[in-house]
Amino acid sequence: MSVEIVEEQMKVIIFQMHTEEYAIKVSEIQSIERMQSFTRIPGTAPFIKGVMNLRGVITPIIDLRQKLGLEEKEADETTRILITSNEELILGLIVDGANDVMDIPVEKIEPTPEVVGGVEAHYLDGVVKLGSRLFSLVNLEKVMQD
């Protein structure tokens, strides 16, 4: 009789911002959209880019680069909007590109250093190194709260 050891895995979407790769749990993503036009809202924080009508749902859009304190970048062909949701809010996150969907072993998640690639640890749940790739796990709840 053999005993099968099953690793606990987390399915994540890998996305790019600047030169770094980040990850968000797939369960927190509703869809990935190409960059679209949106309506600006005067008097809001600079990282709030506006709202867009996504299949009948008015969705706030934020620039995740600005939110995390990274330098701004003009949208291009690879720019994507990650449509995220929790029980209270649907939110679009502008990112440089969506790269991959992966299963990562939960035991590979390590504590977040104080600053990762210029991003405050406050917005991250940890870092994962798989082979030559390093991912920072974004804490979506903290991004939505602040």
Side-chain angles (χ1 to χ4, degrees):
M1 182 172 170
S2 67
V3 177
E4 184 178 336
I5 298 174
V6 179
E7 284 185 341
E8 188 178 353
Q9 304 263 327
M10 177 190 303
K11 191 173 281 292
V12 296
I13 291 181
I14 308 296
F15 61 96
Q16 186 86 27
M17 286 197 312
H18 194 48
T19 58
E20 308 292 327
E21 288 189 299
Y22 295 84
I24 290 182
K25 293 178 202 166
V26 165
S27 61
E28 296 175 322
I29 302 291
Q30 284 191 342
S31 65
I32 301 172
E33 308 290 331
R34 290 188 180 274
M35 193 63 178
Q36 302 176 23
S37 62
F38 45 82
T39 304
R40 294 194 182 274
I41 302 173
T44 58
F47 62 82
I48 300 174
K49 293 304 180 186
V51 294
M52 69 181 202
N53 184 342
L54 182 67
R55 295 181 276 282
V57 177
I58 302 303
T59 306
I61 304 297
I62 70 168
D63 185 333
L64 193 56
R65 274 178 165 263
Q66 281 187 297
K67 177 73 176 180
L68 299 182
L70 300 172
E71 67 184 63
E72 290 186 52
K73 178 187 172 227
E74 289 292 321
D76 59 25
E77 282 293 309
T78 63
T79 303
R80 295 290 181 267
I81 301 174
L82 304 180
I83 305 299
T84 65
S85 67
N86 65 15
E87 294 168 359
E88 301 167 6
L89 182 65
I90 296 175
L91 186 67
L93 304 175
I94 299 172
V95 300
D96 293 352
N99 297 348
D100 213 348
V101 176
M102 293 181 70
D103 290 315
I104 57 171
V106 172
E107 81 241 12
K108 296 272 187 181
I109 300 171
E110 297 178 17
T112 308
E114 285 295 312
V115 175
V116 178
V119 175
E120 289 182 39
H122 172 73
Y123 293 114
L124 302 176
D125 271 341
V127 294
V128 179
K129 184 168 180 15
L130 291 177
S132 62
R133 297 173 80 178
L134 180 68
F135 312 107
S136 298
L137 293 173
V138 173
N139 183 323
L140 186 60
E141 193 169 321
K142 287 184 180 161
V143 169
M144 289 178 147
Q145 285 174 349
D146 294 347

